[in-house]
């Protein structure tokens, strides 16, 4: 109701009072972030996100949004620092690892991204971490390394269909188009269909290979 009267200051005061009483209530912090995003400045938004991260360090969203805002504003170093703090609070968090990788990848720091993914595979391995690792190598033209990472990932996560898809696509599209590589692609899809029988995309890729 306060916002409908454009009384942003009143809404801030109400939220501040509520947060003083319930400083670890996630929904209140989300409202405060939304208020500053719509009606505040970059500085006021950053202040609220920093305070939310301090009060709720295990809630990844506040770290991630704050880091993204800094990145979008062109402050890559500060974004990096925020994600480093997020790691300390959430060492096993897939979203934090992937956000850090994305930051380096999209700013052209490929080696930094590669190192982060290697650490993530050691400390917080998930199917998506392996997928991103293989995708990075594929985009860099390191197809053998990408396939090696996919095989490693599939040993741990044999029902993750996208890794079979990428393996088949690398063999059929990126490598020399010969019988040996087409056979390798076929085997990726066959293994995938054994473990992911309901994957429509895998069925389509396998049938396209035979056309």
């Amino acid at each position: 109701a306060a916002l409908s009267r454009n009384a942003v200051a009143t809404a801030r005061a109400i939220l501040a009072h509520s947060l003083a009483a319930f400083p670890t209530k996630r929904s209140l912090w989300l409202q405060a972030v939304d208020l500053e995003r719509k009606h505040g400045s970059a500085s006021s938004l950053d202040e609220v996100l920093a305070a939310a991260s301090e009060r709720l360090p295990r809630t990844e969203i506040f770290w991630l949004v704050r880091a993204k805002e800094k990145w979008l504003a062109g402050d890559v170093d500060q974004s990096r620092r925020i994600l480093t703090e997020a790691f300390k609070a959430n060492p096993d968090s897939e979203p934090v690892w992937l956000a850090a990788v994305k930051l380096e990848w999209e700013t052209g720091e490929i080696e930094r991204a590669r190192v982060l993914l290697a650490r993530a595979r050691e400390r917080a391995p998930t199917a998506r971490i392996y997928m991103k690792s293989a995708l990075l190598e594929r985009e860099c033209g390191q197809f053998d390394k990408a396939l090696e990472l996919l095989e490693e990932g599939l040993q741990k996560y044999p029902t993750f269909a996208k890794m079979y898809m990428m393996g088949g696509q690398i063999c059929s599209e990126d490598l020399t188009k010969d019988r040996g590589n087409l056979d390798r692609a076929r085997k990726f899809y066959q293994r995938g269909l054994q473990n992911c029988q309901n994957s429509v995309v895998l069925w389509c890729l396998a049938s396209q290979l035979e056309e």
Side-chain angles (χ1 to χ4, degrees), residues 101-115:
V101 168
K102 183 176 182 180
L103 175 70
E104 304 302 349
W105 193 334
E106 296 201 4
T107 53
E109 297 286 351
I110 299 301
E111 198 51 45
R112 280 179 184 258
R114 189 175 272 130
V115 168

Side-chain angles (χ1 to χ4, degrees), residues 1 7 31 42 85 92 101 110 117 119 157 177 181 187 204:
Q31 286 177 49
E85 291 300 311
D92 302 325
V101 168
I110 299 301
L117 284 164
R119 286 183 191 156
Y157 309 101
K177 287 182 171 58
N181 286 328
K187 284 174 183 171
C204 290

